[in-house]
Structure formats: C-alpha cells, structure tokens
C-alpha cells in the first residue's frame, strides 16, 4: 500500500514515466505482461533439471522439440529475449534500402528493421487504427495495401512480411486464419517470406477458436500449428505466451537462413544451443509452452482480461474494442478530448492513474511511436492509449476491481490535468527512459 504523498514523490522522481518507478512503490503492476507471469510447479520442477553444459544442453533439445511440436518450425535459435531474435533476423535478412511491410509496428521490432537500414510500411486494415471499430480481427493485413507494396518494391527489396499475431499496439488484436491464408497466397505470388512475431500467437489462436467460423471445435493447439504453417519462421519473446521470466527464440524453416542465424547468434547472444539462456531457463520455457496451449489456460487468461474490460465498458469508460488478449487499453483521447497529442494525453493518463491508486500502466501513444528515422519528426499515431496489461496467473478478480475503480475515479475527476512536457528524450526507444514535467 502507498499513500498519495508517497506516490506524488515517486512519480516526480520518475519524471512522470511509469517505467522509471520502483516496483516497491507500485500497488498493482499492470505495466506489462512481459516476464511478469507466475511460473507453475511444473515449470519450477523443470528448473531443477537444468543441464548447464556450455554446448548441447539437453534442455536445448527439449525446447527445440517442443517448438517443433507446437509451432512447427524446423530450426530453433535461442536468444535472451524477443528483441535478440529481432536483431538477428534483421541483420541476416535485411539490407539498407529495403522495405518491410507489417501489420502495425511494434517498438523493438521496427527499431531492429530500421537499424538494419529498412523502411517499415504499415499494411494493417484501417479499422485497427480506430479504437471504436468492432471488427473481430483487427490485426488483419489489408491485402490491397500489401499488394501495392509488393508491386512497388518487389522481392529484391522486401526481405519478408512482418506479421504479428496478436497485434500489441492495436490493442492485442488478432489475425484471422482466413487472412493469414490469403496473405500466404499473395506472398507466394511475389515470392516474399512471412516472418511471424509469435509472441502472443497462442492468444491469437484462442481468438480464432472463439470468433472464426469452422474453428470452435478445434483445440488452441491445433489452431496454433495451422496458423504457423502459413509462415516461414518467427521471432518469440518467451516472456509472454510461454510463461517465463526471460528468454526468446528465432525459428526458421529455411536451412540457409538458419545457418546464417546460428552463426550470428554466437556474436551477440551465446552459443547456438543456449543463446543467452541457461539450461534451466530453456527447460522452464519448454514446459511453459506446453501449458500455454491448454484451452483452459487460455480461457482463464483472456477471461480475466475480458472481466476487467467489460467492467469498464459497463461504467461507460472509453476503451479499445473489442477487448484484446493481454490487456485492456484506455482511449486517452476520449479521457482528455481537449489535450493536444503533443501534450502526451496517454502519458498523462498513466501518471494520473498511478497517483490515484498506485496502479502502474504503460503509455502506448505518441511517446512510444517515436520519430521518423529519416525526417526526425514525431510520428503522430491515431491511437493514443494507456495499456492495463495483465500478467498471467498473478492477480485475482479483486485486483481487477480495484483497478477498474481507480480508472473510474480518474475518468470522472472533474479536475482535468493540463498534460506534460518532455524534458529528456533518449535517442532510441524513448518511451522507456524519457522524462516529463507537468504543464500548468
Ligand atoms: N514483439 C511483441 C509483439 C512484443 O510485445 C514484444 C515485447 C517484443 C516483440 C519484444 O520482446 O521484450 O522479449 O525483447 N513486449 C513487451 C511489452 C516489452 O510490454 O509489450 P522482448
């Protein structure tokens, strides 16, 4: 528990950035679902079976088999977390002047694409940029947008399509099986590989089961495998779906590309049979993957997110709809309709929420979007959101109630804040470490 005075002081010290608040000053931590889930007894038991050989650990082979079994990819290159895999993939596949189309950007993913010299082009459907659009698969790729990019640049300048399922920045929104099938056809026509950001692909599979015709009787496990079969490889942050605190991987079906990745991973991450993870970490991830594809686990996990979202909707609070897989996203523009985007409405809302109750959330708006690498100008994303992200197997319904009540307090407070001014802006991925002061 914290007092209003403690929170005011902690927030000032943190430069109004929730990433810079100490966790001991947080009451309910909904900053992220990344690495914050609770491991099960089965996973902890696996930690005791760590084979900490430098090379060829049995846990590596177990993880490789597990990824093959559930995701279907041929080669596994372990990394310390998702962005390690994004780095390796970008470096082995992308050259300056290339173009990477994707269904909305993710911060670290786009950073590594741009760092390798590529330009990112958004090809998601328009509904994804509208928080009120009720499309059941707001993560879908717009095939016309994708085809236009393919025609303009061709296979020589497009190393791959970057397909995320679910789409984090759109509000945890899924991609349908029909869409990935069509995307596969189109990419085959232009000979462009598809690389899946598989970070929350199990959650995506659950949404297909719940919403797409013909899938209600299939298991999440089978749906996941079919979905991945339309792609050529994937990057994974093990800190989400796979239920571990650290770890990731890059998977590839192409032998030549996998050889390049195995060579590069030794420079940045570690030998190709551990890539920055200990044996016990790899064992915990293999077991976490097994648990993550259980229908009951997904129903409970997403059910909790929906519980919070539905409570907020009942109280008339503006959130992104449909409710996403890993988080509820508050629509900051509708909290503060008079605040300019340059005054950081979502950053302000995250700060207000922390001040009210000690609930920590994350900005997903103009601060996260950063600047255009060529012009240096701010991106102005349509979505200006605050993410209430739910760790897996950690909180109870009562925590969701406290959170919802605090959101209501902030929403109905007649005294509206004036916004923030950025006083320190780091060069890369500024949202992590930027500092602000309040206006007015
Ligand atoms: N892709 C997606 C869709 C992600 O959400 C993340 C991380 C990554 C890649 C990068 O993985 O953190 O293991 O390096 N998302 C976290 C979040 C940070 O809070 O959403 P990482």
């Amino acid at each position: 528990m914290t007092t209003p005075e403690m929170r005011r002081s902690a927030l000032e010290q943190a430069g109004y950035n929730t990433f810079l608040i100490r966790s001991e000053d947080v009451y309910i931590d909904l900053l992220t679902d990344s690495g914050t889930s609770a491991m099960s007894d089965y996973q902890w038991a696996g930690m005791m079976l760590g084979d900490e050989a430098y090379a060829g650990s049995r846990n590596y082979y177990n993880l490789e088999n597990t990824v093959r079994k559930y995701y279907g990819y041929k080669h596994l290159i372990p990394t310390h977390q998702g962005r390690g895999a994004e780095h390796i993939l970008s470096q082995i596949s992308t050259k300056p002047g290339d173009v990477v189309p994707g269904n909305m950007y993710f911060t670290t993913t786009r950073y590594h694409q741009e760092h390798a010299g590529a330009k990112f082009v958004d090809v998601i459907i328009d509904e994804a940029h509208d928080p009120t659009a009720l499309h059941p698969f707001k993560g879908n790729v717009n095939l016309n947008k994708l085809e236009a990019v393919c025609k303009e640049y061709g296979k020589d300048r497009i190393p791959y399509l970057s397909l995320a399922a679910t789409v984090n920045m759109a509000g945890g929104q899924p991609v349908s099986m029909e869409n990935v099938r069509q995307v596969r056809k189109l990419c085959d026509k232009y000979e462009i590989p598809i690389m899946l950001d598989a970070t929350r692909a199990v959650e995506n599979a659950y949404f297909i089961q719940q919403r797409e015709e013909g899938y209600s009787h299939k298991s999440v496990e089978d749906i996941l495998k079919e979905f991945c079969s339309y792609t050529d490889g994937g990057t994974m942050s093990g800190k989400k779906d796979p239920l571990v605190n650290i770890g990731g991987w890059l998977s590839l079906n192409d032998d030549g590309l996998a050889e390049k990745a195995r060579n590069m991973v030794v420079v940045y991450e570690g030998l190709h049979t551990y890539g920055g993870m200990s044996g016990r970490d790899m064992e915990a991830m293999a077991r976490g993957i097994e648990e993550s594809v259980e229908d009951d686990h997904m129903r409970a996990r997403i059910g909790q997110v929906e519980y919070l979202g539905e409570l907020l909707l009942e109280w008339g609070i503006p959130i992104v709809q449909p409710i996403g897989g890993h988080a509820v996203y508050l629509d900051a523009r509708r909290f503060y309709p008079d605040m300019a985007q340059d005054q950081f409405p979502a950053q302000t809302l995250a700060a207000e929420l922390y001040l009210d109750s000690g609930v920590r959330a994350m900005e997903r708006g103009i601060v996260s979007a950063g600047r255009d690498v060529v012009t240096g100008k701010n991106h102005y994303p349509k979505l200006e959101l605050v993410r209430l992200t739910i760790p897996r197997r950690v909180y109870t319904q009562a925590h969701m109630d406290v959170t919802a009540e605090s959101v209501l307090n902030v929403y109905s407070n007649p005294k509206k804040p004036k916004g923030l001014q950025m006083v320190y802006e780091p060069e890369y991925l500024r949202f992590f470490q930027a500092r602000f002061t309040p206006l007015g």
Side-chain angles (χ1 to χ4, degrees), residues 269-282:
E269 305 279 326
L271 191 73
H272 58 277
T273 56
Y274 75 86
M277 279 187 284
S278 58
R280 55 182 175 268
D281 288 339
M282 291 189 282

Side-chain angles (χ1 to χ4, degrees), residues 19 30-35 79-86 105-109 112 164-169 197-200 235-240 245-249 326 329 362 364 387 389 431-432:
F19 277 101
L30 307 184
L31 181 71
T32 176
D33 62 330
S34 184
T79 58
H80 77 284
Q81 61 182 80
R83 68 199 72 178
E86 292 167 349
Y105 83 102
F106 183 71
T107 53
T108 59
T109 318
H112 282 295
T166 61
V167 182
N168 192 350
M169 301 305 275
D197 182 338
T199 297
R200 298 183 184 84
T235 52
M236 172 61 93
S237 169
K239 305 168 75 173
K240 282 81 163 180
N245 306 119
I246 194 72
W249 41 260
H326 64 300
Y329 291 68
M362 181 193 291
R364 294 276 81 156
R387 190 180 73 178
T389 340
F431 57 96
F432 283 128

Side-chain angles (χ1 to χ4, degrees), residues 7 21 26 29 77 88 107 109 114 151 170 176 221 241 243 263 270 284 383 417 432:
R7 295 196 289 272
I21 298 172
V26 173
D29 204 347
I77 295 96
I88 305 286
T107 53
T109 318
E114 291 177 344
K151 272 195 183 138
S176 71
E221 184 183 326
D241 274 349
L243 296 161
N263 191 207
L383 297 174
F432 283 128

Side-chain angles (χ1 to χ4, degrees), residues 208-420:
I208 291 175
Q209 185 192 58
Q210 297 299 307
R211 295 179 186 171
E212 193 161 348
E213 219 187 301
Y215 286 92
S216 60
H217 299 299
K218 295 202 168 143
S219 64
V220 166
E221 184 183 326
D222 289 347
I223 297 170
L224 175 72
K225 191 90 177 263
E226 182 187 341
F227 194 94
C228 294
S229 74
Y230 301 118
T231 69
D232 300 287
T235 52
M236 172 61 93
S237 169
K239 305 168 75 173
K240 282 81 163 180
D241 274 349
L243 296 161
V244 289
N245 306 119
I246 194 72
W249 41 260
L250 169 62
S251 269
L252 296 163
N253 288 338
D254 183 87
D255 297 339
L257 209 54
E259 194 179 320
K260 276 192 186 174
R262 274 200 191 97
N263 191 207
M264 182 158 278
V265 81
V266 300
V267 179
Y268 292 103
E269 305 279 326
L271 191 73
H272 58 277
T273 56
Y274 75 86
M277 279 187 284
S278 58
R280 55 182 175 268
D281 288 339
M282 291 189 282
E283 189 61 29
M285 177 144 52
R287 290 173 178 228
I289 289 171
E290 273 177 53
E291 292 182 337
S292 75
V293 299
E294 285 171 18
D295 287 18
D296 286 347
H297 165 69
M298 269 302 147
R299 191 175 306 117
R301 189 275 180 288
I302 294 184
Q304 191 175 38
V305 178
E306 284 172 344
Y307 173 83
L308 174 62
E310 275 158 19
L311 201 52
L312 294 174
L313 282 175
E314 208 174 287
W315 295 347
I317 292 167
I319 63 171
V320 174
Q321 285 184 273
I323 298 161
H326 64 300
V328 173
Y329 291 68
L330 307 176
D331 186 359
R333 286 183 194 272
R334 283 184 283 162
F335 272 69
Y336 305 131
D338 300 328
M339 197 185 288
Q341 201 170 10
D342 286 314
Q343 291 165 3
F344 310 114
Q347 191 78 29
T348 305
L349 176 53
E352 291 293 309
L353 188 63
Y354 175 74
L355 281 178
D356 183 73
S357 59
V359 169
R360 169 155 70 174
M362 181 193 291
E363 192 264 10
R364 294 276 81 156
I366 186 170
V367 184
S368 297
R371 291 176 184 274
D372 185 292
V373 274
V374 180
T375 65
K377 294 208 172 103
N378 274 322
H379 289 295
Y380 284 91
K382 288 210 176 97
L383 297 174
E384 184 66 27
L385 310 174
V386 168
R387 190 180 73 178
L388 301 168
T389 340
I390 316 300
R392 297 161 190 80
R393 308 190 294 207
V394 172
Y395 288 119
T396 66
Q397 224 84 316
H399 292 99
M400 300 300 110
D401 292 341
V402 172
T403 301
E405 282 162 21
S406 177
V407 171
L408 180 61
N409 265 347
V410 171
Y411 183 60
S412 49
N413 185 353
K415 223 178 122 226
K416 300 292 175 212
K418 300 256 181 317
L420 296 166

